[in-house]
Amino acid sequence: MLDKKNLKSLEVKDFEEVGFLRDHPLFPRIKDLFEDELRKLKAKRINFELFLFLLSVFHVNTPVETKIRFLFRLYDFDRNLKIDAADLIKTYRLLYQLPFMQEEDYSKLATETLIKFGTKGELRLENLLEMPQSDEVK
């Protein structure tokens, strides 16, 4: 259905047709990560195998660690292997596009998150992987 030109492959922009992705507030970042995967593989288009691989992270049976690794990359806007206040503010701007939200509200959310979960004002992948997972997360 997504392969409208019957090329047996897709471009990242074709993911805009996938409803649960297109409507997700973090879709611009998800597209960035998919484009990163294509660059890593030195591919220009997405074949069916890569399509399944890219979307597998959203499957209910995907291991929690895989999901955490994906989310970490999603929130690490500057790709410096840590999530700091600047990354969280960008994330919150995408998630909470509310007219009453001011810049100081985003900063406050980021600060509160880092106080609760971060060490030294940042979140690192290893810290997130060490956190106990509730049944709700799994």
Side-chain angles (χ1 to χ4, degrees), residues 46 65 95 107:
I46 301 164
E65 182 176 330
L95 289 173
S107 294

Side-chain angles (χ1 to χ4, degrees), residues 28-90:
R29 283 293 296 149
I30 293 168
K31 274 178 51 176
D32 287 346
L33 293 183
F34 288 175
E35 288 168 348
D36 284 350
E37 289 299 321
L38 281 175
R39 277 191 289 281
K40 277 190 227 173
L41 298 169
K42 296 181 177 147
K44 297 197 186 300
R45 297 184 60 84
I46 301 164
N47 62 21
F48 188 67
E49 181 181 359
L50 181 56
F51 175 77
L52 292 177
F53 171 74
L54 292 173
L55 290 182
S56 69
V57 72
F58 300 103
H59 192 275
V60 68
N61 292 332
T62 299
V64 172
E65 182 176 330
T66 302
K67 292 179 183 207
I68 290 172
R69 288 179 184 280
F70 175 80
L71 288 172
F72 185 86
R73 288 180 55 216
L74 187 67
Y75 298 152
D76 184 15
F77 278 78
D78 54 13
R79 297 178 177 98
N80 63 356
L81 303 178
K82 63 183 178 184
I83 298 171
D84 55 21
D87 293 319
L88 287 175
I89 289 169
K90 289 176 184 173

Side-chain angles (χ1 to χ4, degrees), residues 104-115:
E104 56 270 7
D105 296 320
Y106 295 118
S107 294
K108 183 178 177 187
L109 276 172
T111 301
E112 289 172 0
T113 301
L114 291 173
I115 288 170

Side-chain angles (χ1 to χ4, degrees), residues 11-12 14 25 54 59 73-74 77 92 98 102-103 117:
E11 295 179 324
V12 172
D14 295 325
L54 292 173
H59 192 275
R73 288 180 55 216
L74 187 67
F77 278 78
Y92 292 146
L98 304 170
Q102 303 296 318
E103 191 62 30
F117 298 108

